[in-house]
Amino acid sequence: MSRWLRLTAGLTLLLALAIRVHASEDADAIRSFIMGMPKAELHIHLEGTLEAEDYLEIMARNDLPSRYPDAAAVRDRLQYARDLDTFIEVYEELLSAMQTAWDFEDVAMRYVARVADQGVVHVEMFFDPQMHTYRGIPLATVMAGLQRAHERAREEFGVSLWFIACFNRDRSRDSALRHLEALRPYRDLVIGVGLDNPEEIDFPEKFAPVFARAAELGFRRTTHLDVDVPNTNAHHWAVLDLLDVERIDHGLNVADDPELIQEVRARGIALTACPTLLFREIPGRLESRLARIRTLLQAGIQISLHSDDPGLMRDLYIGDLYLLAHEEGGFSRKEIEALARNSFLSSWIDDDRRNAWMGAFDDWLAAHPVAF
Ligand code: ADE
Ligand code: ZN
């Protein structure tokens, strides 16, 4: 090879290396931007934050015998979940590790510690009171733990942590009503109520009196409307007609019906979307969820991204999901910002605090001019 050719080949190689380094620097800058950007987590289940290792540790300290010898065996069990029903089966099995007030405090605090470096400043966390009282854990035990976590989250991480009590759609209306009344003394900590668990055929009608009473007592209101489940369109309309909700958890099927889009937007109902569900990968699922999230965002719906049950779903926490939206869905900086801004707009904090968060959010964006 002539000297000239060798020189050209050398320069080309250097240029390719420089481009690679530059691209990976860009990717690092985008990653830190997305992770560090302030955000509010509004769709996260306390019980679903339990990771395999947490489960084993809590079982052991409560002297409960585990069917699983190690974390890998717990993760194998998580692979069993293939839809909402099977997912809830595993969820109910694993949450039974929690027995004492300390367990509830500890699980909530493990979550806060995990997301404190993902930009999370405010959390409205679901918990399932019925799943604990029905196995003999008094509500007062659960609430004592959550109260401590609320205080420690602020003291140790500067995170504002509040709770939403979810009633199970596959349990009776009377049970929901009884639990609602029992929650009255905790109104300062439990800012709202929701509905979760499998979507039974008559769930909106069944819970109309519960939600009317919750409104009377000053609780904010949301409900799960899971994605691509049977009768979803009818359930969306019945929820709008009967439950007077301020938010919908998931609600991605709104994107499939232009009239629903119009109605949800007109009523100012916010959606808390979760791009992932289940421990296992299901081909096409992430793409279809991201596509609907984009459609709803473009339609002017107040939608934001959340993690649902990260401990039971491949450890994808909220920052990881914003990153996934960019890396897998091609979401631009403008879209990522809009989703995070919506998380503050949709939260149930008072207006003074919301304005303070929004101001801090805008300042943070101005100080981080990363383009993508
Ligand atoms: N409980 C925990 N996660 C849930 C979900 N995504 N839908 C319904 N119930 C749940
Ligand atoms: Zn959920």
Side-chain angles (χ1 to χ4, degrees), residues 43 45 126 224 250 308-309:
H43 185 164
H45 298 259
F126 293 128
H224 277 63
H250 297 296
D308 210 1
D309 300 282

Tab-separated table of all heavy atoms in Angstrom, residues 43 45 126 224 250 308-309, ligand 2:
chain	number	residue	atom	x	y	z
A	43	HIS	N	-48.513	6.359	39.035
A	43	HIS	CA	-49.104	5.022	38.845
A	43	HIS	C	-48.049	3.987	39.221
A	43	HIS	O	-47.283	3.520	38.373
A	43	HIS	CB	-49.569	4.866	37.390
A	43	HIS	CG	-50.295	3.585	37.126
A	43	HIS	ND1	-51.059	3.387	36.007
A	43	HIS	CD2	-50.395	2.425	37.831
A	43	HIS	CE1	-51.580	2.173	36.028
A	43	HIS	NE2	-51.169	1.559	37.125
A	45	HIS	N	-47.679	0.719	42.213
A	45	HIS	CA	-48.324	-0.049	43.296
A	45	HIS	C	-47.269	-0.438	44.317
A	45	HIS	O	-46.269	-1.080	43.950
A	45	HIS	CB	-48.967	-1.316	42.741
A	45	HIS	CG	-50.055	-1.052	41.745
A	45	HIS	ND1	-51.386	-1.120	42.060
A	45	HIS	CD2	-49.997	-0.693	40.432
A	45	HIS	CE1	-52.112	-0.841	40.990
A	45	HIS	NE2	-51.296	-0.567	39.985
A	126	PHE	N	-50.144	3.761	44.939
A	126	PHE	CA	-51.288	2.896	45.243
A	126	PHE	C	-50.909	1.883	46.309
A	126	PHE	O	-49.769	1.413	46.354
A	126	PHE	CB	-51.696	2.082	44.006
A	126	PHE	CG	-52.253	2.885	42.873
A	126	PHE	CD1	-51.736	2.740	41.592
A	126	PHE	CD2	-53.310	3.753	43.063
A	126	PHE	CE1	-52.254	3.450	40.522
A	126	PHE	CE2	-53.842	4.477	42.000
A	126	PHE	CZ	-53.311	4.327	40.737
A	224	HIS	N	-58.292	2.147	37.330
A	224	HIS	CA	-57.610	1.451	36.251
A	224	HIS	C	-58.604	1.169	35.121
A	224	HIS	O	-59.766	0.843	35.379
A	224	HIS	CB	-57.079	0.095	36.734
A	224	HIS	CG	-55.765	0.176	37.423
A	224	HIS	ND1	-55.584	0.858	38.597
A	224	HIS	CD2	-54.551	-0.355	37.099
A	224	HIS	CE1	-54.317	0.751	38.966
A	224	HIS	NE2	-53.661	0.021	38.089
A	250	HIS	N	-53.757	3.705	33.023
A	250	HIS	CA	-53.608	3.079	31.697
A	250	HIS	C	-54.500	3.879	30.731
A	250	HIS	O	-54.120	4.947	30.335
A	250	HIS	CB	-53.970	1.591	31.676
A	250	HIS	CG	-53.081	0.746	32.535
A	250	HIS	ND1	-51.748	0.586	32.293
A	250	HIS	CD2	-53.357	0.019	33.656
A	250	HIS	CE1	-51.229	-0.208	33.216
A	250	HIS	NE2	-52.184	-0.558	34.059
A	308	ASP	N	-46.094	1.383	37.150
A	308	ASP	CA	-47.054	0.341	37.534
A	308	ASP	C	-46.515	-0.605	38.622
A	308	ASP	O	-46.762	-0.391	39.796
A	308	ASP	CB	-47.502	-0.441	36.293
A	308	ASP	CG	-48.925	-0.969	36.428
A	308	ASP	OD1	-49.550	-0.720	37.465
A	308	ASP	OD2	-49.414	-1.622	35.486
A	309	ASP	N	-45.806	-1.654	38.212
A	309	ASP	CA	-45.336	-2.672	39.166
A	309	ASP	C	-43.869	-3.001	38.871
A	309	ASP	O	-43.555	-4.141	38.489
A	309	ASP	CB	-46.192	-3.942	39.010
A	309	ASP	CG	-47.655	-3.686	39.268
A	309	ASP	OD1	-48.050	-3.582	40.441
A	309	ASP	OD2	-48.413	-3.572	38.286
B	2	ZN	ZN	-51.600	-0.333	37.914
